[in-house]
Structures are given as C-alpha cells and as structure tokens.
Amino acid sequence: MVVGAVLAAGAGTRFGMPKILAEQGLWLHRAVDALRVGGCDEVLVAMGAAIVEPPAGATAIVVADWAVGLSASVRAVLDSPPVGHDPAGVVLHVVDMPDVGEAVIARIVATAARDPGRIVRAVYGGRPGHPVYLGRDHFAGVRARLDGDVGAAPYLRAHAGIVESVECGDLASGLDRDEP
C-alpha cells in the first residue's frame, strides 16, 4: 500500500488565507484527485489553520500544532493510523502546486515501485519539488529531523546519495503559489 498525503495545514500568511481554501477548495480537490488517480491507495489531508470537509475518498488529519510549521504536518501524517499500518511508503504532496496532477504522481509512484527502501523526489527543470515518495524504512529518520517550518528536506539533504530525482518538468511547472 502507498499512502498519499496533501500537506495543507498552514495559514497561508503570504497568500492571504489558508491555501486549503484557495479557489473555493479547488486546489485541495486537485491535489487529492492527483494522489488517488496517480496510484495512492489511501489519501490523507493534513489540515489545521482551516478545517474543511475532505474531498470524497480522502481522510482528514487535523494538525493541532499546525502553527509550528510544516514539520507538524509531516509528523501528523507519519503518526496517522493509516501510516501506522505499515504501507510501503508515503507520497507527500502540497496543496499549493495546483498544476501538479496525476501524471506527476504516477511517475513518482512508478519509479518508487512501492519499495520501502526508496526515496523519490520530483524535480522540475532540475529544481527539487513535490511530490516526494518516502519509503517506510525512512519514516523514523525523517521524524527524527523534523523541526519548525521544514518538512523532510533536512533528511533528504543528509541522504542525497540515495534520493532519486525524477524529472517532471514536461508534466507541470512545479511552482508553488505563495502569493495570490
């Protein structure tokens, strides 16, 4: 099993509102659909600054300490019951990349091959981005490095030699939307 997770708990300060609400929730629906259609067996939505009904086929995870930053969302996903059932891996996606669709997710999931020992990251024109597949063998290591408004990046940097970069610039821009 591969679990997909939309990280959408933040307040979106620069954006002017929580991005989970962007375009009347369209960004959230796109991210959930991308994960589901792209090959994830279960989809989670990490939310906090704004709590919404998750799209059909997704499960909400309320991140109580969302104001801590991205680390709180990643920790909440990794500590969630679906992840506790030992999936092969987790695909971390962010709500503020609305042009990243199921083709990108499918490419990442296919490259990861549901291998618990792999880490696969989408890159756009060589620039690292999301989604990121974390095989279950890396969950504890990622948890140990989570801090503040940073997600898995410190772990990925520390293990750069095993992170597989998959070019996805032919499928999406990979740009996150931080401002309206």
Side-chain angles (χ1 to χ4, degrees), residues 110-133:
T111 301
R114 300 178 184 270
D115 185 332
R118 293 174 97 167
I119 301 173
V120 179
R121 180 176 212 166
V123 297
Y124 303 89
R127 189 178 26 84
H130 284 89
V132 175
Y133 171 91

Side-chain angles (χ1 to χ4, degrees), residues 44-48 59-63 76-77 80-82:
L44 309 174
V45 177
M47 56 182 78
T59 302
I61 295 178
V62 177
V63 182
V77 166
S80 69

Side-chain angles (χ1 to χ4, degrees), residues 38-159:
C40 295
D41 303 297
E42 188 159 351
V43 178
L44 309 174
V45 177
M47 56 182 78
I51 308 296
V52 300
E53 184 69 28
T59 302
I61 295 178
V62 177
V63 182
D65 58 344
W66 63 267
V68 168
L70 188 56
S71 65
S73 293
V74 175
R75 184 175 293 107
V77 166
L78 294 178
D79 291 345
S80 69
V83 176
H85 289 102
D86 285 332
V90 172
V91 177
L92 299 176
H93 188 27
V94 291
V95 74
D96 64 353
M97 294 176 75
D99 75 331
V100 172
E102 65 266 6
V104 173
I105 304 296
R107 188 175 285 176
I108 297 304
V109 171
T111 301
R114 300 178 184 270
D115 185 332
R118 293 174 97 167
I119 301 173
V120 179
R121 180 176 212 166
V123 297
Y124 303 89
R127 189 178 26 84
H130 284 89
V132 175
Y133 171 91
L134 297 174
R136 116 175 125 244
D137 296 352
H138 302 281
F139 293 173
V142 168
R143 270 190 203 95
R145 289 182 176 255
L146 290 172
D147 185 47
D149 200 25
V150 180
Y155 185 85
L156 298 179
R157 279 192 298 276
H159 296 83

